[in-house]
Amino acid sequence: MSRLVAFAAIQGGYKVVSQVEGELEKALASQDAATKIGFGNTAYYLPVIYSLTGMKCETLEDLRKPLEFARGLLPPHVKGQNHLPYLGPLLDAGMAGIFAYEVKEALRILREPEFYTFTEDPDIDAGKIWVGPADDTILRKRGVEFVDGSAPGFAAIVGAAPNPEIAKMIVEDYQKKSLYIFCAANHNGKTVIEQCLEAGMQIGWNTRIVPFGPDISSAVFALGFANRAAMAFGGVQPGDYRRMLMYNKNRIFAFVNALGDVGTEWAVAAAGAVNWGFPTLADTDIPEILPTGICTYEHVVANVPHDEICQKSVEVRGLKINITEIDIPLAFGPAFEGERVRGGDLYCQMGGGKTQCTELVKMADMKEIEDGKVEVVGPDIADLKEGDTLPLGIYVQIAGREFQEDFEPILERQIHHLINYIQGVMHIGQRDISWVRVSKGAVEKGFSLKHLGIVLHAKFHQEFQKILDKVQITLYSKKEDVDKLTERARAEYKHRDERVDKMTDEDVDTFYSCTLCQSFAPSHVCTVSPERTGLCGAYNWMDCKASFEINPTGPNQPIKKGKVLDPKLGRFEGVDEFLKQASKGAHETYNFYSMVHAPMTTCGCCECIAAMLPSCNGVMTVNRDYAGETPCGMKFTTLAGVMGGGAASPGFVGHSKFNVTQKKFILGDGGLLRVVWMPKSLKDEIYDRLNARGKEMGVENLADMIADETVGITEDEILPFLQEKGHPALNMESLIS
């Protein structure tokens, strides 16, 4: 081990501790010692200090103790030409520096409370790009990903690349491997975060590019996040420093990339990270520590080329990532699932009420299809100009010795998140209400409709190889072809839905979850029962059961419904317990059969949204493809924006079209007989089922009693119609009592 490494790290430790001691004394001289300090909205105080020592720092005076502890860790200065090649003094100096950095950041937050946004995403328009330490809400949402493997680790990048293009290349390389990128520090006044913005990238927790702060001290937030994950999900107790550090070494696969000149302050941070088993790889010529010891392999590696730093970092950390290249001109991976394609960046779109967009997966005979064949029938992206729309039909044929018809909707629903994995492409909805938006950046890189098929072919093979052998995909973009596919698809959807038509919630003791939409609505948890189909319309109870059989660790998990807490509203003990865990604590309970009392959460993929109409003592429902005004005063798009992000909003609820005529539909609020308005197109679509269900409930010709936009689009306009028809809702008990 180089004497220069020891000298730099130990010098850095002394420098940082002394500097922060001075800052603390200055703060104590100007403010009361009992002044509250902390990182905000966290039960973990200053998390590195608390997790490793058990010290609870809540006031300015409390900061003296960890700084005294840090001072005691500092080893003797390196003297003479001969230095014992031992890591111990470096680790102590590094830990002292990390403690001091955490105190420094607490003082900064006290001194400049508006410096960090403390949010998932920065406020770029306001010039505030630094989010600071993650609060416990973000920890619960993101930390579990490091435990369940959906985020295999994180790259802590300090400094800046030589230019924005190189920064973008490095960061995207990590995104492709599903890693988080925690960014801090600057090199000559420039940060990799600013370079990412210059390169047109979206930053924030949702894209896994986290802008912690502009100084090397901000890197302590990454270590604090790792330690809090160990306490929250690994059961490690505060003060159990040995278990804490071993947990991180063995479970949190992280490393540091130092981009730029490494001075003493960076050196002490790197030495501190080694305590966690996190190695440092630099793009400059710095002294190396190559023997194994604390880290899995090398501790410090120098002169790593920028185009190799990602792969080399993964190798040195001992992280195993199974990556299969997909031949498209855009980056691809879960890190892009949270991206939005907003108006200013939109090049073209398919569906979303502008055109028809339909998806259908069907089982085929092995001899009928050719594996890997992807065909575009009709115009492609290159034939469009900015702002254009296209109809789109995505038709996937699958053959396999183990494939069953029951598996069709499961793979069909995967289209949603797999398309979202493509950088610059956004997908919402499912079945015949899908919506695909393509960004200008994606088009500039050569994106084509064919690339949708290439992605689906590759990912279906990767994720479902046990049940399929061949995948062929046809993408239709001519209106007549899309309409023909849509007509066929709707018949298939109807057949699937009717499979559970005779089942009741009392017939089963297990419901199923669906969390596929959490990329856009993180707190949304859909629970599917025989009489409460998924609000997207794509999944019923049997679909979820089949999905769990295919992928036991996937988004459709069995939920033992347990004790029935309220049979009228539809509240179940087992569902409540699952909901608390799956929503990361955002929700504690909801009811299956009510929109008034603690309704289910709603995401943006719902087919319909129901809303109360108090003056009519009833409810309305509006489907996604109706673009007009409604009696509640909001269009579908407005309703979805207000309560479609995973919210549970009394008086509103998302649901599927099929659910309208299921026996338990808002049964706790009066059931189907409460429905007084819906768009004519929806009423015509389910007309026979409306009358059949109404007859079961004692009302003949119910569909003709329900108003639509031809009657009116306000409560005042439709009330006389309801009175003339003798609608049953008018004589029911008050909906808001």
Side-chain angles (χ1 to χ4, degrees), residues 122-129 197 201-203:
D123 189 351
I124 296 172
D125 292 338
K128 300 182 71 172
I129 63 174
L197 290 173
M201 303 180 76
Q202 294 183 28
I203 62 172

Side-chain angles (χ1 to χ4, degrees), residues 373-375 394-397 453 456-457 471-475:
K373 182 179 180 181
V374 178
E375 186 179 8
I394 302 175
Y395 180 43
V396 182
Q397 295 170 278
L456 295 178
H457 170 263
V471 179
Q472 179 175 306
I473 297 163
T474 307
L475 298 125

Side-chain angles (χ1 to χ4, degrees), residues 357-363 392-398 408-409 411-413 415 430-432 434 456 460 472-474 476 484-493 496:
C357 185
T358 300
E359 299 163 354
L360 179 65
V361 171
K362 282 299 298 175
M363 184 170 70
L392 180 63
I394 302 175
Y395 180 43
V396 182
Q397 295 170 278
I398 294 179
E408 291 172 353
L411 273 73
E412 193 172 278
R413 194 65 183 95
I415 294 172
Q430 65 298 303
R431 283 191 169 184
D432 60 341
S434 297
L456 295 178
F460 281 163
Q472 179 175 306
I473 297 163
T474 307
Y476 298 105
K484 190 179 297 183
L485 178 68
T486 301
E487 182 180 359
R488 178 187 176 188
R490 286 172 177 165
E492 294 287 348
Y493 306 153
R496 294 172 187 172

Side-chain angles (χ1 to χ4, degrees), residues 106 132 194 224 230 322 324 395 407 413 468 514 601 631 647 698 707 722:
E194 291 165 320
N322 183 22
T324 300
Y395 180 43
F407 297 160
R413 194 65 183 95
L468 58 81
C514 185
T601 60
L722 301 174

Side-chain angles (χ1 to χ4, degrees), residues 301-314:
V301 182
N303 289 322
V304 183
H306 295 118
D307 60 353
E308 298 177 14
I309 198 165
C310 178
Q311 187 58 44
K312 185 67 175 177
S313 297
V314 168

Side-chain angles (χ1 to χ4, degrees), residues 534-555:
L535 56 84
C536 67
Y539 271 25
N540 60 39
W541 184 86
M542 290 187 70
D543 296 334
C544 292
K545 184 173 182 290
S547 174
F548 177 69
E549 291 174 4
I550 295 172
N551 183 9
T553 61

